[in-house]
Amino acid sequence: MSIWSRIIGMKKTEDGNSIAGNKNTHVPDGIPDYAVVDVEVGLKDHEIHDIGALRHDDKIYHKTSKQELFDFLNDIDYICGHNIIHHDARYLFTDNRCRWILVDTLYISPLLFPERPYHRLVKDDKLISEQINNPVNDCRKAKDLLLDEIACWHSLPREKRILFASLLKDKKEFEGFLSMVSAEYIHAGIPEIIKEIYAGKICSNADLDMLIGQYPCGLAYALALIDTSDYRSVTPGWVLYNYPEVEFILKLLRHTDCHEVCDYCNTQLDVLHNLKAFFGYECFRTDIRWRAIAGTGRQSRSEWEITIGDIPDRWR
């Protein structure tokens, strides 16, 4: 039995299976009651100029009053938005403690759509919108993105869903989404799961315990990128700005030879192995032969050759 089978076969009994911590986050079957919110804030005065909200039942709110918005959201469990954690929520809940669970579509998007050109509605960290400064229209786009993210999450293999949830369960940028999709997670055995899922794709001797402990978000983004099949796929700039460790993690997992017993390093990072695989040669040439052709047509030709032993040391 594989380590993965042993781990997921264990019945999780301790409290804490809820991703969102101490909040009451029981999620019924299907998508729970939610609303998507977008706030337009002035660049100079930093005041709210417009608010848009779209409920799961397609009811719309479009005013500037926060109190009326809260009344509109009274029976809602989740408030969703694109970059809501670090933008909209700062202006909406300055005086009131947020009693809703916040779901941010921004941070989960590169994890679920790492392939170039990423999600059709997202350009870098911005939603693609036809209308400028229309928060209701932005809510519709964010709702479409949210539903695509939920569908993509459930399409992942179960072991990969549990891996990502286990890495991100305590991060505020992700915990709302993980609660919304009733994500499962584990507390132990994460390095073994990574080695099994990504066997042959990463160095088996990389220090995964260190990465899990210090850089769980960066590790999740790096693993998502490793799964891509499009060589043009790259980590979005805003992800590298917020999680600069992603490049270090990719280098550690994929581009650092451990010089030990490792299928990945002994194949993907071994120059002689790839020389044979791509070109069919067992080793590189040990001599260099140069031929110079002088003249064309009926003119005489001259040729010469030089071996590597004839090349002065200072030229090598």
Side-chain angles (χ1 to χ4, degrees), residues 130-142:
E130 297 88 356
Q131 302 179 43
I132 300 176
N133 298 329
N134 186 336
V136 174
N137 185 64
D138 288 345
C139 286
R140 292 192 178 97
K141 299 297 182 183

Side-chain angles (χ1 to χ4, degrees), residues 29 38-39 51 107 152 165 170 178 206-207 242 282 301 305:
D29 293 336
D38 184 76
V39 176
I51 303 174
Y107 287 84
C152 184
D170 297 322
L178 296 175
D207 192 351
N242 288 280
E282 297 290 343
R301 297 182 177 181
E305 65 180 28

Side-chain angles (χ1 to χ4, degrees), residues 102-211:
L102 300 180
V103 179
D104 202 316
T105 59
L106 171 63
Y107 287 84
I108 200 71
S109 181
L111 191 73
L112 298 177
F113 308 110
E115 290 274 5
R116 184 182 182 272
Y118 316 111
H119 194 275
R120 60 187 174 83
L121 295 179
V122 179
K123 184 176 182 180
D124 200 13
D125 61 333
K126 306 296 183 183
L127 283 174
I128 298 176
S129 179
E130 297 88 356
Q131 302 179 43
I132 300 176
N133 298 329
N134 186 336
V136 174
N137 185 64
D138 288 345
C139 286
R140 292 192 178 97
K141 299 297 182 183
K143 179 182 178 181
D144 290 341
L145 175 60
L146 173 66
L147 296 179
D148 285 348
E149 288 174 344
I150 293 173
C152 184
W153 174 267
H154 288 298
S155 72
L156 294 176
R158 182 178 179 229
E159 60 270 22
K160 193 165 292 184
R161 297 199 305 268
I162 294 180
L163 169 60
F164 286 148
S166 301
L167 289 173
L168 305 171
K169 64 182 183 299
D170 297 322
K171 308 304 177 184
K172 62 182 179 180
E173 294 85 359
F174 301 93
E175 63 181 2
F177 179 85
L178 296 175
S179 170
M180 194 175 200
V181 296
S182 302
E184 304 173 71
Y185 66 91
I186 58 174
H187 293 291
I190 300 176
E192 290 77 12
I193 295 177
I194 294 175
K195 289 180 181 180
E196 184 161 329
I197 295 176
Y198 293 91
K201 296 182 178 180
I202 64 172
C203 173
S204 59
N205 295 305
D207 192 351
L208 293 175
D209 288 315
M210 180 273 292
L211 296 178

